[in-house]
Amino acid sequence: MNYKEILERVMNNVRAEKSLGKLATYIPELGNIDPYKLGVHLSTVNNLDVGSGDNQEKLSIQSIAKVFSLCLAYKMVGESIWKRVDVEPSGNPFNSLVQLEADNGIPRNPFINAGAIVICDILISHLERPKDAFLSFVKEISDNPELTFCQKIADSEKSIGYRNVALCNFIKSLGNIKNEPEEVLDFYFCLCSLEMSCKELAQAFLFLANGGKKVSDEKEILTKSQTKRINALMQTCGFYDESGEFAFEVGLPGKSGVGGGIVAVFPGNYSIAVWSPKLNAKGNSYKGMMFLEMFTTETEASIF
Ligand code: GLN
């Protein structure tokens, strides 16, 4: 398969398409991004690395970070993690409050905000310095010592984070947050502010395409079974109430963020990251979805 050629062809097609959607201006700093950025990077388990466009420029990874925090927490606490967060698609927007009361404060899955906030709480309970440990974990899985949070974006989100404050306090009232909401939210906003390029994202996710082992040194990050489960959750919950659509159009497990990034994983083959900041109504990158749909159509390969 000539991935380089396919990537370039799809890139040209996507570039030519109308740029619909809107920036995630609800986080004021994200409103300052150039809406016409477009980058893609693909890393394969056979050590091929190909990229195009703005693939080496940093983006705010936002909810993509929820995959890293889940992997770290899963690695640390094992299967008991599923007592605190469920594994069902929510069919609701990422910041929805509606199901929590009926579900007794157990979020439907770890990728909606409610679930990711509970995962942050678990990490805080188990780690002395959760921000440092989280960053070290992402640096380790991506063989990249250069990664940093963006304080400006974290502060910007904190300044308007009323819904996440409501979610966290509500879950606390139902007994599923053990630490102080302020500390939990500070950690949550911080990890969402992590900045990575498409190239760095594709490389960081590659172990999920490789049975849980890093490709560079075969170090086990997660077991095969844990890896399967993370990929299953990305498949069913990675795009909130558009997860079905992504499975239907693209056919790969993946995760989006409101910074306009999307990462998808093809187990046994590759990881791919796309960035286009304008989002559709469900909060997923408009051109990012389009790119991946065209890419799996051209390669004629997906998990289905
Ligand atoms: N930090 C963002 C929020 O909580 C993450 C949302 C997302 O990327 N979908 O609103």
Side-chain angles (χ1 to χ4, degrees):
M1 183 98 62
N2 191 336
Y3 283 129
K4 175 91 189 140
E5 201 183 292
I6 297 175
L7 213 69
E8 287 301 342
R9 194 164 56 238
V10 173
M11 191 68 170
N12 288 334
N13 289 343
V14 170
R15 211 176 253 130
E17 291 284 337
K18 243 203 179 116
S19 181
L20 300 180
K22 289 193 185 116
L23 291 177
T25 49
Y26 79 96
I27 299 176
E29 265 309 309
L30 293 184
N32 298 329
I33 306 173
D34 174 354
Y36 298 102
K37 290 285 174 195
L38 185 61
V40 61
H41 195 92
L42 175 121
S43 297
T44 74
V45 295
N46 305 320
N47 290 307
L48 179 75
D49 257 292
V50 288
S52 182
D54 302 310
N55 64 316
Q56 306 220 35
E57 200 170 312
K58 301 270 189 190
L59 59 124
S60 185
I61 74 166
Q62 292 297 321
S63 284
I64 298 172
K66 294 170 181 171
V67 181
F68 299 140
S69 50
L70 176 64
C71 288
L72 179 58
Y74 196 14
K75 193 176 167 65
M76 289 176 57
V77 308
E79 300 307 314
S80 65
I81 197 170
W82 311 120
K83 289 190 189 130
R84 303 276 307 272
V85 59
D86 207 348
V87 295
E88 291 298 336
S90 70
N92 271 310
F94 62 84
N95 55 7
S96 174
L97 280 136
V98 294
Q99 289 163 335
L100 273 173
E101 182 149 43
D103 293 346
N104 290 319
I106 306 293
R108 285 283 164 110
N109 67 67
F111 295 147
I112 49 173
N113 289 9
I117 288 169
V118 168
I119 298 295
C120 283
D121 184 61
I122 293 173
L123 287 173
I124 289 172
S125 297
H126 284 83
L127 293 163
E128 205 146 298
R129 297 157 68 102
K131 290 183 188 175
D132 291 348
F134 173 81
L135 199 55
S136 301
F137 176 69
V138 186
K139 285 178 179 174
E140 188 201 340
I141 61 175
S142 49
D143 282 326
N144 184 342
E146 305 296 322
L147 306 177
T148 51
F149 300 120
C150 175
Q151 195 59 46
K152 212 169 160 186
I153 290 184
D155 289 346
S156 178
E157 182 166 10
K158 200 176 212 171
S159 73
I160 50 79
Y162 306 110
R163 255 193 117 79
N164 287 320
V165 172
L167 280 168
C168 191
N169 280 295
F170 194 39
I171 304 169
K172 174 92 183 166
S173 79
L174 293 164
N176 197 21
I177 291 283
K178 312 293 176 196
N179 298 282
E180 277 311 308
E182 198 176 327
E183 187 184 3
V184 177
L185 287 164
D186 179 66
F187 181 38
Y188 173 76
F189 294 139
C190 177
L191 63 89
C192 286
S193 81
L194 185 62
E195 295 191 310
M196 293 172 81
S197 66
C198 289
K199 184 174 182 185
E200 290 167 336
L201 278 170
Q203 289 169 349
F205 272 71
L206 191 55
F207 79 96
L208 292 171
N210 195 41
K213 288 186 179 161
K214 276 167 69 184
V215 167
S216 59
D217 58 9
E218 286 294 300
K219 188 174 174 213
E220 185 178 276
I221 304 297
L222 294 178
T223 65
K224 265 196 175 154
S225 154
Q226 289 174 323
T227 305
K228 178 204 76 182
R229 290 179 168 185
I230 298 287
N231 285 334
L233 283 167
M234 287 202 289
Q235 184 72 64
T236 51
C237 313
F239 299 82
Y240 321 111
D241 45 343
E242 204 169 34
S243 299
E245 181 82 12
F246 191 81
F248 186 78
E249 302 264 346
V250 179
L252 297 175
K255 185 73 205 80
S256 64
V258 291
I262 298 181
V263 187
V265 172
F266 190 175
N269 289 276
Y270 62 72
S271 55
I272 184 167
V274 200
W275 177 37
S276 171
K278 286 198 191 181
L279 311 177
N280 65 20
K282 305 276 169 118
N284 300 315
S285 170
Y286 175 78
K287 281 202 170 185
M289 300 256 304
M290 180 190 287
F291 189 103
L292 292 170
E293 193 265 314
M294 285 187 194
F295 186 75
T296 50
T297 302
E298 290 268 330
T299 54
E300 295 183 342
S302 83
I303 66 161
F304 297 109

